[in-house]
Amino acid sequence: MINLTIDGKALQVKKGKTILEAALANGIHIPHLCYHPAIKAIGSCRICVVEVKPGPPRPQPACTTTVAEGMEVITQSERLQDLRRELVKFILVNHPLDCPWCDKAGECLLQDLTHELGIDVVDYEAVKVPPHIDYESRLIERYATRCVTCGRCVRVCRDRVGASAINFESRGYFTELGCGHVPLECEFCGTCIDICPVGALINKLFKYTARSWELTKTKTVCPYCGGGCNYEVHTKNGHIHRVRSQGSLLLCGRGRFGFGVLEAPERLHQPLIKKDGQLVAATWDEALDYAARGLKEVIDNAGPDALYGIGSPRATNEASFLFQKLIRAGLGHNNLDSPARYNFARALAGIAAVFGEAQVSGVALGSVKKGVYQSPWEVQEEAKGSGFPFVLGNAHHLSHADVILIVGADVTPEMPTYGWRIMDALKNENFRLVVANPRKTKFDRYANLNLRYQPGSERLLLIGLMEAVLEAQPGYSPHLEAEGFEDFKKTLLKTSLSKVAKQAGVKDADLRQAGKLLAQAQAPAIIFGHDLMAQEQGQDNVIAVADLFLLIGQPCNKGSALYPIAEKNNTRGVCDVGVMPNYLPGYQSLAEGGGAFAKLWGKPVSDKPGVTLEEMLDQLENNEPEAPRALYLLGGDLVRLLPNRQRTERLLQKVRFMVVQDAFLTDTARLADVVLPVAIHAELDGTYTSTDGRLGCLQAALSPNGTRPDWQIITELSQRLGYPMKYGSAPAIFAEMVQLMPIWAGIKEGHRWPHKKISVSLNGKFVPFSTEISIPGEGKYTLIVGKTLAHSGSYTTHAHGPQTIMPGAELKINPADAQALKVNEGEPVKISSTQGEITVPIAVTVEIPRGVVFLADHFSDTPANLLTSNSNLCRVQLQKG
Amino acid sequence: MMDVERLETILTQYEGYPQDLIPILQDIQDQYHYLPKDELKVVAQRLNVPLTKVYSVATFYKMFSLVPKGRHELRVCLGTTCHLKGGQRLLESVSSHLGIEPGYTTADMQFSLETVGCLGSCAQAPVMMVDDKYYARMTIDKVTKVLKLYKE
């Protein structure tokens, strides 16, 4: 610690902090402009100058001067104020005083500085800079005249977001912000808008809708990806106008611009029931009675097992918990699952196979009553944990990893938060990044090594990497206690490295280099995502990743962990709270954990595992007697999201009675007998769990406008089904839920589970996996169905912001392939597979290798899953459309 | 339409590292007499440099231009010494001969006119440059002669 005084106040500050940081942390105000805590200080505006003793006779910028022992700092003096006044005057020479119609008014740093320094006259004149205003760019308007060239946006875009989409152009007095003399073509995250101290960058969705001081701010959680960003919803007169992230300012485009989904005209505000084959509007009582009657009829005729429950990663933890309680306690079986089965659940199962089931001991129910959204379980000294949840990484630690391997994931579109963490990791000069993906992704630019493998050959690549690790250091052995290493090594070495490299389509030398990096790493982390998990053999893929991690992982070092990407906001949560056929909430086994549940619920819990979503569809396909007769879907748009759309549609039509809760009349809801409109994120109270297990708390900011929260609908239905569940609010449900989940011990808002005080003892066994590689279908091209940055799931296709950036599907294709097909950019092409065909315009890009095409799966009018059969990969034919 | 081959002959002389940016831009400027948009995009992609960085560099240095320049570039020095020695009058003379203001290019795309701060040849003021050739101790009479050398 360093001792210094600022304005006579004695302070103790951590070594390495700057004077400005020390002052701000201790409530001492120093005027500043170009400094922002989210980015590196560059000291360009000089407004934060202070007098430093001992030191040079001239004032020093507080933002770049680090504290030193015995330093005396003066922040306010006549000389300093004069200097600051002059500097601000220089800015004001060119700054238009259009505050009355500038959206930044009220939260503008320049306005505040001018006021604080009492500048009433600007007695300088200079050549006017040309008023370059960019009205053309999508979602963002740029006013070069208002710019104070502080470089905040340039730095945040380059260093934190990693897009480098905006930069200074020209020089000296004529310096202005530019993006290459064209309309902005970037990630459209909008971080630059919020970091701009003035109104030089304006949010087009917010422009002229409200003054900053009229807005009511409500803290909640972003509903799009698994990143779990906290943000504030800004509302006025019951309408949402913008969202902002307070702390780091970082949000992605769908988070920042995707709020329009709340007020989308297609939203359902009234329940619908099927009458004569048509869905017609009904009152809530009518619809609930109708739904209960239909479900009851099926239960009475075919037994409670005939009702299958499908949860959704859209729903909150509380709704998901009640949902599984209704199935488990109310109906007495475990036939429930969620669409996470097709991606994240595979990750959990694969990691569990290698690292074992979740175990925790040494946690006890505390005697003190805890606050809202807090676990009553306390972590004790001797607390111990093992199993797969302890291998899952903490996003905040990702930047401490010294080697990150990204395999089968396009990180930024799938989860922007991990992208930002990688940008942070890149600041460490010993950090190495290995990116393995068939496509060129954003992080290729930053990677030390790119492995461009053949689509679908992830397991071969991973075998190659493991061999390369063993080859790099003869006698290499895992850092963790690992069973079956010798046998596994033998099987590995049966096939030569060059053979797998050839099969995977990568160079031997690259594999060897990657192996070397991974073998030398002290804290290696592996990120994997949709591309890898959504394949038919996704689980084998994950086992291969887990095996690699067992070989190289050193979880005792910060950041060394597995980072699977959960696609949706609550994909992890829905699995955590037990919407799975084989786990009770908190990944407790059905056989052992049932006691506590039965005691609290007053009903026995069946120890027979239910069928998975995949198995349930197979049962329907084969007309098995156990096949469900009724479905209760808590969202989960199966028709849109599952591979092989036609099959899903056909199978769902076999179900006699279907109840769907959703915010829109989704493709699945169209097949339902009852559709119950639900409240979504900013209309809800409750919690989400992010991919890395962090608890995010939602607060309702808007009225539900005719819709109801999921949990309320479930309680109403349960009452009508003869198993009344009564709860007054989401926190009441949370309280019951956490009481039953010792593994969530110590969790509270913003904290992650497992708790950091639980000492981890990890061990694993090497699990063999199939090395069969096959891509279904026939055709010259391999289609990869994946995610884009503009959209998340299908909800964002109802929001104006994301639609502006990407209004519809486009097939990404290599220029050479496009030329061979004689199709130009933007022209339609017919894609046909064994399952079906669709026509979409093409986007020519060198990101895609020859023979591969890429299609995003968010759009309902050109559904990508019409082409796929059981995987996100399939072979297709292309034809000029 | 972009002339792919013309650009390729420039790009293939370099290894494609980000630090090759300025030399490549210089080559393009020499050959094309400006930096065309589409070409810059390709350069950015090939060197793995953000397009904004390319523009930042291209607009920072005066030797680069984003608009087409004439076949010959005239630079009239207005540094202190040249200024004292009548640089301003020299500029006016060149300007009226070509019929363009500084910063512009003649309609036949033969000449562009620029002013510069100093050409480092103060002893021989007033100085002007045509492409990479210096013309020292210029007088208004000499302007016609010099320009004639470059007129087709």
Side-chain angles (χ1 to χ4, degrees):
Chain A
M1 292 302 248
I2 304 264
N3 295 296
L4 78 159
T5 63
I6 301 183
D7 290 344
K9 194 174 163 187
L11 300 176
Q12 268 210 330
V13 184
K14 248 195 191 161
K15 203 180 160 198
K17 291 269 172 206
T18 63
I19 297 173
L20 186 58
E21 283 166 342
L24 293 178
N26 288 288
I28 300 166
H29 171 71
I30 302 177
H32 58 268
L33 185 64
C34 72
Y35 167 82
H36 191 281
I39 43 178
K40 198 173 161 246
I42 52 167
S44 78
C45 74
R46 303 268 143 176
I47 285 166
C48 66
V49 283
V50 289
E51 310 267 11
V52 179
K53 266 189 251 169
R58 58 188 178 277
Q60 299 293 302
C63 69
T64 54
T65 312
T66 43
V67 291
E69 189 63 38
M71 195 183 245
E72 284 172 40
V73 179
I74 294 170
T75 71
Q76 301 290 335
S77 71
E78 202 43 49
R79 177 177 160 199
L80 290 173
Q81 288 297 82
D82 277 346
L83 272 171
R84 289 173 186 151
R85 219 170 275 135
E86 291 301 297
L87 288 163
V88 174
K89 275 186 192 173
F90 284 149
I91 294 169
L92 289 172
V93 168
N94 260 310
H95 193 86
L97 296 180
D98 52 9
C99 306
W101 58 279
C102 175
D103 282 287
K104 205 73 176 191
E107 48 189 15
C108 170
L109 220 49
L110 186 61
Q111 226 179 23
D112 294 348
L113 278 173
T114 311
H115 183 262
E116 182 187 338
L117 297 169
I119 300 168
D120 45 7
V121 179
V122 177
D123 34 18
Y124 296 113
E125 258 182 61
V127 186
K128 285 280 167 205
V129 291
H132 291 150
I133 299 175
D134 167 21
Y135 296 111
E136 265 176 75
S137 297
R138 291 169 286 174
L139 297 175
I140 300 169
E141 250 172 38
R142 295 178 299 144
Y143 291 81
T145 40
R146 291 179 188 163
C147 178
V148 296
T149 55
C150 64
R152 279 187 182 191
C153 54
V154 176
R155 281 176 284 156
V156 82
C157 190
R158 185 190 60 205
D159 302 337
R160 300 294 308 276
V161 181
S164 292
I166 197 162
N167 208 337
F168 288 124
E169 286 179 9
S170 304
R171 63 182 150 145
Y173 178 73
F174 293 100
T175 306
E176 66 170 296
L177 282 174
C179 55
H181 288 197
V182 283
L184 267 174
E185 207 43 79
C186 65
E187 293 182 9
F188 292 101
C189 71
T191 305
C192 54
I193 300 172
D194 285 354
I195 206 165
C196 181
V198 294
L201 292 148
I202 291 291
N203 182 342
K204 278 190 177 174
L205 298 186
F206 178 65
K207 194 182 167 193
Y208 302 157
T209 58
R211 313 276 16 203
S212 62
W213 54 86
E214 295 172 328
L215 295 161
T216 312
K217 297 165 185 171
T218 317
K219 235 185 115 188
T220 188
V221 186
C222 177
Y224 292 121
C225 75
C229 297
N230 285 299
Y231 65 36
E232 273 181 356
V233 165
H234 292 194
T235 51
K236 176 186 151 189
N237 301 335
H239 292 284
I240 182 164
H241 288 298
R242 69 173 177 188
V243 299
R244 289 184 81 161
S245 158
Q246 275 314 53
S248 70
L249 290 171
L250 293 170
L251 282 179
C252 69
R254 45 198 189 211
R256 197 181 305 270
F257 300 114
F259 59 82
V261 63
L262 284 158
E263 296 180 357
E266 308 92 280
R267 272 289 293 274
L268 294 176
H269 296 288
Q270 247 189 325
L272 304 172
I273 56 176
K274 196 159 255 175
K275 268 192 185 150
D276 311 320
Q278 292 285 319
L279 284 168
V280 292
T283 65
W284 271 102
D285 277 334
E286 273 169 14
L288 287 165
D289 287 342
Y290 184 80
R293 214 164 40 236
L295 295 176
K296 197 121 188 106
E297 209 180 285
V298 171
I299 294 167
D300 290 345
N301 288 334
D305 286 7
L307 171 61
Y308 193 92
I310 297 167
S312 164
R314 162 187 65 72
T316 58
N317 288 327
E318 290 70 22
S320 303
F321 174 79
L322 271 201
F323 183 72
Q324 63 87 36
K325 184 178 173 185
L326 174 68
I327 304 278
R328 291 211 157 99
L331 301 170
H333 62 74
N334 291 307
N335 284 335
L336 79 165
D337 208 345
S338 76
R341 177 61 49 198
Y342 284 80
N343 43 60
F344 195 67
R346 287 177 180 162
L348 297 179
I351 301 172
V354 173
F355 289 95
E357 296 294 337
Q359 299 286 344
V360 70
S361 63
V363 293
L365 279 171
S367 47
V368 191
K369 204 172 175 301
K370 293 282 185 350
V372 186
Y373 298 133
Q374 281 188 31
S375 171
W377 292 87
E378 280 170 6
V379 180
Q380 292 170 329
E381 286 291 315
E382 72 277 12
K384 269 203 183 84
S386 64
F388 69 90
F390 295 88
V391 194
L392 302 178
N394 179 346
H396 290 192
H397 291 174
L398 186 56
S399 51
H400 294 275
D402 63 352
V403 173
I404 295 180
L405 167 69
I406 304 173
V407 54
D410 187 357
V411 175
T412 296
E414 289 185 49
M415 227 174 81
T417 44
Y418 281 178
W420 303 327
R421 300 291 170 194
I422 297 172
M423 288 310 296
D424 293 344
L426 284 163
K427 290 188 189 120
N428 172 4
E429 58 182 47
N430 296 320
F431 173 74
R432 296 288 178 269
L433 180 64
V434 182
V435 178
N437 198 306
R439 295 173 280 147
K440 188 176 174 190
T441 61
K442 172 178 162 187
F443 281 98
D444 278 34
R445 179 190 291 166
Y446 300 100
N448 298 84
L449 190 64
N450 289 301
L451 299 167
R452 191 102 48 242
Y453 61 84
Q454 292 290 327
S457 65
E458 283 86 355
R459 271 164 287 142
L460 295 173
L461 177 88
L462 289 160
I463 290 175
L465 285 173
M466 286 189 257
E467 285 190 37
V469 169
L470 295 174
E471 207 183 275
Q473 284 182 14
Y476 187 93
S477 64
H479 300 270
L480 290 169
E481 201 181 303
E483 214 178 289
F485 175 56
E486 290 307 322
D487 291 343
F488 187 72
K489 204 164 139 183
K490 255 181 232 156
T491 17
L492 266 188
L493 297 176
K494 265 185 206 156
T495 34
S496 74
L497 189 144
S498 29
K499 195 176 162 197
V500 281
K502 200 174 163 205
Q503 283 175 324
V506 293
K507 286 190 201 121
D508 294 15
D510 287 350
L511 265 188
R512 289 208 167 88
Q513 203 196 331
K516 215 187 238 167
L517 288 175
L518 293 174
Q520 287 166 351
Q522 299 297 309
I526 307 177
I527 301 177
F528 58 99
H530 179 266
D531 284 6
L532 183 142
M533 294 189 275
Q535 290 170 23
E536 189 192 5
Q537 284 164 310
Q539 193 155 325
D540 276 308
N541 286 345
V542 177
I543 290 176
V545 173
D547 280 339
L548 173 63
F549 188 73
L550 184 56
L551 183 67
I552 59 165
Q554 301 183 43
C556 49
N557 293 338
K558 224 177 179 180
S560 183
L562 284 174
Y563 291 86
I565 296 176
E567 186 195 350
K568 301 277 178 65
N569 52 343
N570 207 27
T571 303
R572 166 101 182 238
V574 88
C575 297
D576 281 2
V577 304
V579 184
M580 290 181 106
N582 53 339
Y583 288 123
L584 288 165
Y587 304 108
Q588 297 173 77
S589 85
L590 293 166
E592 292 160 24
F597 289 83
K599 203 170 138 202
L600 194 72
W601 292 345
K603 285 263 192 166
V605 174
S606 165
D607 58 3
K608 186 181 153 221
V611 292
T612 64
L613 183 52
E614 282 168 307
E615 289 165 350
M616 184 275 281
L617 290 173
D618 288 342
Q619 286 180 345
L620 281 173
E621 172 96 78
N622 302 330
N623 295 320
E624 285 173 32
E626 299 86 32
R629 311 280 170 85
L631 290 183
Y632 178 20
L633 291 105
L634 192 70
D637 188 354
L638 303 184
V639 176
R640 174 85 72 91
L641 300 170
L642 265 39
N644 204 340
R645 183 184 174 95
Q646 280 179 333
R647 173 178 185 252
T648 316
E649 222 163 359
R650 180 163 49 81
L651 297 181
L652 291 186
Q653 274 160 358
K654 286 190 182 179
V655 176
R656 202 186 299 160
F657 196 77
M658 220 164 100
V659 180
V660 169
Q661 277 172 224
D662 216 319
F664 294 94
L665 191 60
T666 60
D667 297 341
T668 310
R670 279 177 220 281
L671 305 174
D673 296 273
V674 187
V675 184
L676 304 167
V678 295
I680 52 176
H681 68 112
E683 301 159 346
L684 282 179
D685 285 315
T687 61
Y688 289 149
T689 314
S690 73
T691 298
D692 70 330
R694 209 169 294 275
L695 191 72
C697 299
L698 293 147
Q699 277 185 73
L702 298 169
S703 85
N705 193 9
T707 63
R708 288 184 187 181
D710 284 301
W711 65 266
Q712 254 179 34
I713 304 175
I714 299 168
T715 53
E716 295 263 4
L717 266 181
S718 73
Q719 207 146 5
R720 286 170 168 83
L721 289 172
Y723 178 70
M725 302 193 286
K726 281 202 180 124
Y727 296 92
S729 65
I733 305 168
F734 184 88
E736 179 181 319
M737 178 172 79
V738 280
Q739 199 188 332
L740 289 165
M741 292 167 63
I743 205 161
W744 271 25
I747 203 169
K748 58 182 176 190
E749 178 169 11
H751 288 244
R752 80 181 278 270
W753 80 274
H755 196 274
K756 60 181 175 201
K757 278 198 202 142
I758 299 178
S759 67
V760 183
S761 62
L762 271 180
N763 54 58
K765 61 168 191 286
F766 283 98
V767 178
F769 47 86
S770 131
T771 51
E772 284 292 302
I773 303 287
S774 72
I775 296 175
E778 44 201 58
K780 205 174 137 197
Y781 297 90
T782 307
L783 171 74
I784 305 177
V785 176
K787 311 287 165 197
T788 65
L789 182 55
H791 289 283
S792 171
S794 57
Y795 271 19
T796 49
T797 58
H798 299 285
H800 175 64
Q803 280 298 95
T804 316
I805 301 165
M806 192 175 181
E810 51 187 26
L811 185 77
K812 287 192 177 175
I813 187 168
N814 185 278
D817 285 336
Q819 210 170 14
L821 287 165
K822 298 197 173 63
V823 188
N824 294 323
E825 173 86 26
E827 287 177 359
V829 61
K830 194 167 86 183
I831 321 167
S832 44
S833 76
T834 46
Q835 305 300 321
E837 58 178 53
I838 55 172
T839 303
V840 290
I842 63 161
V844 180
T845 164
V846 289
E847 288 164 18
I848 307 288
R850 284 204 72 169
V852 176
V853 284
F854 176 85
L855 188 62
D857 66 354
H858 312 282
F859 306 94
S860 68
D861 48 349
T862 48
N865 62 353
L866 203 59
L867 302 165
T868 53
S869 48
N870 47 14
S871 163
N872 66 329
L873 300 174
C874 72
R875 294 214 185 276
V876 292
Q877 284 290 6
L878 299 181
Q879 221 182 324
K880 195 169 176 166
Chain B
M1 208 42 199
M2 197 174 87
D3 185 347
V4 180
E5 263 173 46
R6 193 174 177 198
L7 182 64
E8 277 310 313
T9 48
I10 297 175
L11 289 175
T12 46
Q13 292 166 30
Y14 296 89
E15 283 172 65
Y17 293 114
Q19 56 266 35
D20 295 333
L21 178 61
I22 291 179
I24 290 177
L25 293 186
Q26 281 173 321
D27 286 358
I28 297 177
Q29 177 77 37
D30 279 352
Q31 291 212 10
Y32 292 69
H33 303 291
Y34 80 117
L35 304 175
K37 257 187 189 180
D38 292 340
E39 273 76 355
L40 290 187
K41 269 188 199 162
V42 177
V43 171
Q45 217 168 51
R46 197 67 68 83
L47 302 185
N48 242 338
V49 169
L51 183 66
T52 50
K53 178 100 192 169
V54 175
Y55 270 88
S56 200
V57 170
T59 53
F60 185 87
Y61 296 104
K62 258 204 143 171
M63 61 184 166
F64 299 129
S65 167
L66 295 176
V67 290
K69 288 273 163 166
R71 222 154 64 85
H72 303 293
E73 283 182 57
L74 269 70
R75 296 185 183 87
V76 177
C77 183
L78 288 182
T80 316
T81 319
C82 292
H83 183 78
L84 291 172
K85 289 282 205 171
Q88 188 63 41
R89 260 177 294 148
L90 174 64
L91 176 67
E92 278 161 19
S93 163
V94 177
S95 178
S96 74
H97 264 95
L98 295 175
I100 50 168
E101 292 285 313
Y104 288 84
T105 303
T106 53
D108 59 3
M109 300 304 282
Q110 287 299 312
F111 294 99
S112 299
L113 180 59
E114 293 283 343
T115 61
V116 288
C118 183
L119 287 172
S121 222
C122 306
Q124 301 174 317
V127 186
M128 70 177 242
M129 250 180 115
V130 183
D131 299 333
D132 45 12
K133 202 164 166 18
Y134 278 81
Y135 290 91
R137 296 194 181 89
M138 281 296 292
T139 59
I140 289 179
D141 296 342
K142 281 194 195 165
V143 170
T144 332
K145 282 184 207 156
V146 172
L147 289 181
K148 217 175 215 168
L149 295 174
Y150 294 91
K151 275 188 181 150
E152 286 186 349

